[in-house]
Amino acid sequence: MNDVKELDPTVVLGTGLLGASVGAALTRAGVTVHLSDAVLSHARVAETLGAGTTAKPDPAAVRLVVVATPPRSLAAVIGEALDRYPNAAVTDVGSVKGRVLRQLQATGRDLSRYLGSHPMAGSQHSGPVSASPDLFCDRTWAVTPHREVTEATADRVRALIRLCGARYVAFTPQEHDSAVAQVSHLPQLVSVLMADHLLGIPSSHLALAGQGLRDVTRIAGSDPGLWEQIIAGNVDALRPELEAVRAHLDEMIAALDDPTHRVRPILQRGVNGTRQIPGKHGAPAMDYGHLVIEIPDTPGALAQLFRDIADAGVNIEDIDIQHDLVRQVGYLEVAVEPGHVREVSEAMTAAGWKLT
Amino acid sequence: MNDVKELDPTVVLGTGLLGASVGAALTRAGVTVHLSDAVLSHARVAETLGAGTTAKPDPAAVRLVVVATPPRSLAAVIGEALDRYPNAAVTDVGSVKGRVLRQLQATGRDLSRYLGSHPMAGSQHSGPVSASPDLFCDRTWAVTPHREVTEATADRVRALIRLCGARYVAFTPQEHDSAVAQVSHLPQLVSVLMADHLLGIPSSHLALAGQGLRDVTRIAGSDPGLWEQIIAGNVDALRPELEAVRAHLDEMIAALDDPTHRVRPILQRGVNGTRQIPGKHGAPAMDYGHLVIEIPDTPGALAQLFRDIADAGVNIEDIDIQHDLVRQVGYLEVAVEPGHVREVSEAMTAAGWKLT
């Protein structure tokens, strides 16, 4: 069975940014999507933008329900969807998984048709007007199986993820919540911590703010109503992360008593930490290849070297001048994608440069 | 006297990113710039890139010396420059001002020709190859007068800032150091704190990282050798800032015990904090004008509204759907630059829309 038939028709409950984007992606693929929202005008906006129809489906025919309502309402809406659409697989796109599953289990329902999920996509804008069928392209879409889920249910959620162009990855609900506490909810709170601190700073001082401060505090400007619900749903995973940060902050404050010896190792750990983050779209962290080219001490040598590198036609990722203080000779270090090291080396050697 | 004559010739000591960019800006303006660096190849690279000449100047003729060496060496290099160039004004571009001034005062020198400064510009890349004569365009350039400085010295530093296209702003050295502790050094350490924490996180969890984590940790990847010196030079201003962050972190951890009531106010303070940051290039934080347009409950109304907004030809900064649950009617909130509110209002009213 192909993915479109597998999911036709689908119901999307909640037509904010995520729901409307799911609707738009499935509609584009050829699936009939029925949209519903507690706020009628939201569903109408999503319909206008091509995310589906606000016409009602035949409940018995529905094959998939995607619940994209605010975090606080998820368990109730998922439960009602299981009751109302007796032949549908039901998933949700909430950012915390464990609590919702426990709430559903507490109702005593058969959960063989429920499989929670969480697409790692969003935007600083919310609401259907920012929706796009490409929102999930190449993004990771986490799925959190539990022991009651049937293979038929999992098949439909996998079809959804494929039609949205995303990449499937499975976690237990607990593992998922621990992971998002670490890589999403904790950075959110750290950003808030820095932004909150700005309220006590004179505006004349803030005139010296640069891009660094803007980057660190950008996500602190996100919707507090949504984030309050996310954090409330993941308190248990978040607390130990915040406590670990406090321990490191204590270490940092203590290090100021001996900055010459104790600050550098902390800064270096920060650099190493940034290297743990995979590349965008889930590519592994790029480990660039490096070439080191000697710069002869003759006029115009460096300008010629830049020209020859440009002629090699390879994308230069980084460039750095190094030096040998004894020999008073310079070196140019060039970083390229790992697969291109040999190519650039050969081109440079052919052009008469000495590689070290 | 015009700015070029006021500064011709100038000496730049240290040809990293900042020194080479100053040289390039002054050279472009028509000032003869003499470049010097402890690493000969760095000065040669800067020369190749148009930042000046490595030829030696007549010491008595030099009118301005710009010291752009690493933080640790500043006081010694500034002192030597005052001795070697008896008719020059001397400034530096270091990011901490108080300690350097105290170190110079301790030598007993006449400091009437020294005026420290700090351009708020940089790049994640260092070294002369990233230099640009436009690096300082529209940036704030802080100047930190002390009581010995003569007006003639201040005039030359102001001419430098004008020729670099930057905006002059004066602080006492102590005020400056407190300001950069708050808006630059503290965000740097907060970013390091978050990045450091990633070292303890499984790589499977990091696969869920999104743009938020990347933004918060970007500056933690900066050169630890440079930042160690900056932090060591500003420990006294930094310590109370870090301690205040620790107090807020304790409050945040405590709030997790009652997330329904205590988390939202903290998140709202974060949102308010981001609004304290001035716009890029020092423009005041933009307070957008908002229009609210009623969306009639008729098919195609929203699509027509989008077309009419587009036809009004004004840059829309943000857009949001609101709703009235009782009347089941929707509203579109549109944010535009404050000066355009009336224009857009009139265009929408003329097109038959009802504004609230």
Side-chain angles (χ1 to χ4, degrees), chain B residues 90-145:
Chain B
V90 178
T91 189
D92 69 298
V93 296
S95 43
V96 181
K97 309 314 310 174
R99 175 176 293 205
V100 169
L101 181 62
R102 287 193 299 276
Q103 289 171 334
L104 284 165
Q105 286 166 335
T107 67
R109 278 192 182 82
D110 166 14
L111 297 179
S112 59
R113 290 187 289 115
Y114 169 67
L115 173 55
S117 76
H118 179 205
M120 306 311 294
S123 161
Q124 65 212 79
H125 301 293
S126 56
V129 290
S130 305
S132 160
D134 296 317
L135 187 69
F136 310 103
C137 268
D138 290 328
R139 299 304 183 102
T140 299
W141 191 316
V143 171
T144 53

Side-chain angles (χ1 to χ4, degrees), chain B residues 8 16 42 51 87 115 117 119 126 129 133 183-184 229 237 256 332:
Chain B
D8 196 34
H42 273 208
N87 303 310
L115 173 55
S117 76
S126 56
V129 290
V183 305
S184 170
Q229 296 180 49
L256 294 184
L332 188 71

Side-chain angles (χ1 to χ4, degrees), chain A residues 38-42 44-45 48-49 120 125-126 128-129 140 142 169 171 175-176 178-180 182-183 186-187 189-199 201-202 204-222 224-225 227-228 231-232 235 238-239 241-246 248-250 252-253 256-257 259-260 263-264 266-274 276-280 297 302-303 306 317-319 321-323 325 328-330 332, chain B residues 38-42 44-45 48-49 120 125 128-129 140 142 169 171 175-176 178-180 182-183 186-187 189-199 201-202 204-209 211-222 224-225 227-228 231-232 235 238-239 241-246 248-250 252-253 256-257 259-260 263-264 266-274 276-280 297 302-303 306 317-323 325 328-330 332:
Chain A
V39 181
L40 182 60
S41 62
H42 273 209
R44 286 267 163 77
V45 171
T48 303
L49 298 172
M120 307 311 294
H125 301 292
S126 56
V129 290
T140 299
V169 52
F171 287 90
E175 245 191 313
H176 168 275
S178 159
V180 292
Q182 294 164 332
V183 305
L186 179 65
L189 291 180
V190 166
S191 182
V192 166
L193 207 55
M194 183 65 231
D196 181 5
H197 187 75
L198 299 180
L199 292 173
I201 294 179
S204 63
H205 291 191
L206 285 163
L208 298 183
Q211 192 54 42
L213 178 65
R214 292 186 175 84
D215 284 351
V216 173
T217 58
R218 184 184 64 82
I219 55 175
S222 304
W227 274 97
E228 174 191 22
I231 287 163
V235 159
L238 256 171
R239 193 180 284 106
E241 304 298 329
L242 278 174
E243 285 169 348
V245 167
R246 179 168 58 185
H248 280 132
L249 178 54
D250 286 339
M252 195 179 263
I253 293 171
L256 294 184
D257 294 335
T260 312
V263 168
R264 177 77 177 250
I266 294 174
L267 297 175
Q268 188 59 52
R269 292 202 318 245
V271 172
N272 297 344
T274 63
Q276 305 296 306
I277 305 174
K280 286 188 185 178
D297 190 15
L302 200 82
F306 287 152
E317 302 296 338
D318 201 0
I319 203 164
I321 303 274
Q322 299 179 341
H323 50 272
L325 285 172
Q328 275 291 348
V329 68
L332 188 71
Chain B
V39 181
L40 182 61
S41 62
H42 273 208
R44 286 267 163 76
V45 170
T48 303
L49 297 172
M120 306 311 294
H125 301 293
V129 290
T140 299
V169 52
F171 287 89
E175 248 190 310
H176 168 276
S178 159
V180 292
Q182 292 164 333
V183 305
L186 178 67
L189 291 180
V190 166
S191 182
V192 165
L193 207 55
M194 182 66 231
D196 179 5
H197 188 76
L198 299 180
L199 292 172
I201 294 179
S204 63
H205 291 192
L206 285 164
L208 298 183
Q211 192 55 40
L213 179 64
R214 291 186 175 86
D215 284 351
V216 174
T217 58
R218 185 184 63 84
I219 54 174
S222 305
W227 274 97
E228 174 192 22
I231 287 162
V235 159
L238 256 171
R239 192 181 285 107
E241 304 299 328
L242 279 174
E243 284 168 349
V245 167
R246 179 168 57 187
H248 280 132
L249 178 54
D250 286 339
M252 195 179 263
I253 292 171
L256 294 184
D257 293 336
T260 311
V263 167
R264 176 79 177 250
I266 294 173
L267 298 175
Q268 188 59 53
R269 292 203 317 248
V271 172
N272 297 345
T274 63
Q276 304 297 305
I277 307 175
K280 285 188 186 177
D297 191 16
L302 200 83
F306 287 153
E317 301 296 336
D318 201 359
I319 204 165
D320 192 30
I321 302 276
Q322 299 179 342
H323 51 273
L325 284 171
Q328 275 290 347
V329 66
L332 188 71

